[in-house]
Amino acid sequence: CEVRPGPEFLTRSYLFYTNRLFKALQFYYWDPSCRDPSYSLVIKGKLRLRQASWITRGATEADYHLHKVGIVFHSQKAMREVASWINQTSGEGCRGFLPPGRSWAPGALYEVLSAKTERDCTAALGFAMHELSLVRVERHFQPLLQPQQSGSRLVEELYLGDIHTDWGERLHYRPTGYQRPLQSALHHVHPCPACGIISRADEHHPPILPARAALPMQLSGSWVSTHCEVRPAVLFLTRYFTFHGNNHTWEGHYYHYSDPLCRQPTFTIYASGHYSQGIPSSKVRGGTELAFKVTQARVTPMDQVTVVMLNSSEPGSCGLAGSWSAGVEQDITPTNGCLALGIKLPHTEYELFKTEQDTQERSLLYIGERPTDGSSPDSPDKRPTSYQAPLIQCAAASEEFSNYISLKYVGRKDANGIEALKPLPVAFLLFIALLFLRWD
């Protein structure tokens, strides 16, 4: 069950044909478990892949054209609410989309967009398919781990463009990051109970996902990214957090890279501070609202470009002026942050958190999605209403493994005897990934 800014709760099922036509189904719900459907959209159109993106490395740019969009309501309440949005906010051609008092007809399909008649009533729904303008397909192999089996199975995942966190911007925003990936109906991660349910659904029979027990918010322990994360405005990073529940303090490592595989480090940020007692979110059901105070931070530049940038920054705005060098950490607390990297100290962020268990009963932590415009959720009205990719708890790591993780960058000499910087966290993440594959 996906959470989009708003919040909106939905599941998606997309079918792409060899003649470039596509049919997309989007199922919307009243609840964050995707068990109480509101309405479904049937989207038909044509997609043309263009060239490799020069903004988001690893992605392909695409053009799409919508032929028609239909809506099926799953209750009188949904019909009344959506009709009221369209009647109030759309142009002349959409007023009277549904006459007041019209009774709900189960299974009836109403057209909200038609290229043929040039009618488009979708804006009131906050609907756009700009996610199709940025595409990335990833393939990897998942080992078959039952005792009697050997070999591996193919897994295919489709990454589509991100949705702008500001509702008013999403209709014309062209993505530079991704949403969480769609799984191939044929070649998906196992186990995936939702995959079959969603792939077999249609607009008249929306998927009802299995009930899941709500987990209490317990932040103690260490949590790590499961893959290289892509953020809007060309940011590639991995994250590692430790929360100390006994005194409500936290520390985080943000490893930034210049490539979509997170193999070419650019800089690392270490930050720490404390956080408030959480309260249930009134806006995003299932979420918990917290306030995080950042009081200390350190930066380690990892490539020459970052070193030059930091050394040319205004004196007093980012650590000791002119003293930066690759692989050497520097405290930026005395300069109240680092202007060149957009870090201000002390700093408070108003956050949204959620914990879940996946199908293998591993604990996942969802932290609020960052504003698409690059700003910070530094006031309660900017608190996120959707989530980033989940972090996974490092509870299964042995003490010996914990001691192995130094979370520092260690200098290694290459074949020419020159110091080469090798980030241990990447090895750590790969090791974690192998553990996950074994558990599967």
Side-chain angles (χ1 to χ4, degrees), residues 12 28 31 48 60 74 79 96 117 129 132-133 139 192 195 198 223 233 235 240 257 261 308 313 371 375 403 406 439:
R12 296 177 292 154
Y28 291 81
D31 68 301
R48 182 173 68 90
T60 298
H74 302 303
M79 182 179 188
T117 63
M129 285 300 285
L132 292 177
S133 62
R139 295 180 179 89
C192 179
C195 292
I198 297 169
W223 305 77
L235 285 176
Y240 178 90
Y257 304 82
L261 298 177
V308 170
S313 60
S375 64
N403 293 335
S406 68
W439 292 338

Side-chain angles (χ1 to χ4, degrees), residues 16-22 45-52 60-67 132-135:
F16 297 92
Y17 300 93
T18 52
N19 60 358
R20 296 183 183 170
L21 294 176
F22 71 86
K46 195 162 193 174
L47 181 73
R48 182 173 68 90
L49 299 178
R50 291 171 56 212
Q51 70 275 336
T60 298
E61 293 179 357
D63 288 327
Y64 72 92
H65 178 69
L66 297 182
H67 296 159
L132 292 177
S133 62
L134 198 70
V135 181

Side-chain angles (χ1 to χ4, degrees), residues 104-165:
W104 169 54
L109 180 70
Y110 302 93
E111 199 170 74
V112 288
L113 180 148
S114 168
K116 195 174 287 184
T117 63
E118 298 184 350
R119 185 185 194 219
D120 184 358
C121 306
T122 59
L125 302 171
F127 169 83
M129 285 300 285
H130 299 325
E131 61 192 88
L132 292 177
S133 62
L134 198 70
V135 181
R136 177 184 172 98
V137 174
E138 288 193 3
R139 295 180 179 89
H140 60 271
F141 287 90
Q142 179 186 12
L144 302 173
L145 297 165
Q146 285 74 11
Q148 71 277 16
Q149 292 180 310
S150 61
S152 58
R153 64 165 64 86
L154 175 65
V155 173
E156 292 184 313
E157 296 177 315
L158 172 64
Y159 288 81
L160 297 176
D162 62 305
I163 308 298
H164 203 289
T165 52

Side-chain angles (χ1 to χ4, degrees), residues 325-393:
S325 58
V328 179
E329 186 179 68
Q330 191 173 148
D331 191 353
I332 58 170
T333 310
T335 53
N336 297 321
C338 179
L339 195 61
L341 296 176
I343 303 169
K344 287 190 286 189
L345 296 173
H347 180 65
T348 300
E349 296 198 340
Y350 295 85
E351 269 297 358
L352 180 73
F353 274 50
K354 176 179 72 168
T355 51
E356 274 186 5
Q357 280 191 328
D358 66 8
T359 51
Q360 288 124 50
E361 298 187 352
R362 301 174 305 205
S363 295
L364 303 178
L365 174 65
Y366 291 82
I367 300 178
E369 191 172 358
R370 308 298 296 176
T372 307
D373 63 8
S375 64
S376 166
D378 52 10
S379 61
D381 62 299
K382 293 178 72 175
R383 193 187 299 275
T385 55
S386 57
Y387 302 99
Q388 300 174 54
L391 304 172
I392 198 152
Q393 192 167 29

Side-chain angles (χ1 to χ4, degrees), residues 56 70 420:
T56 307

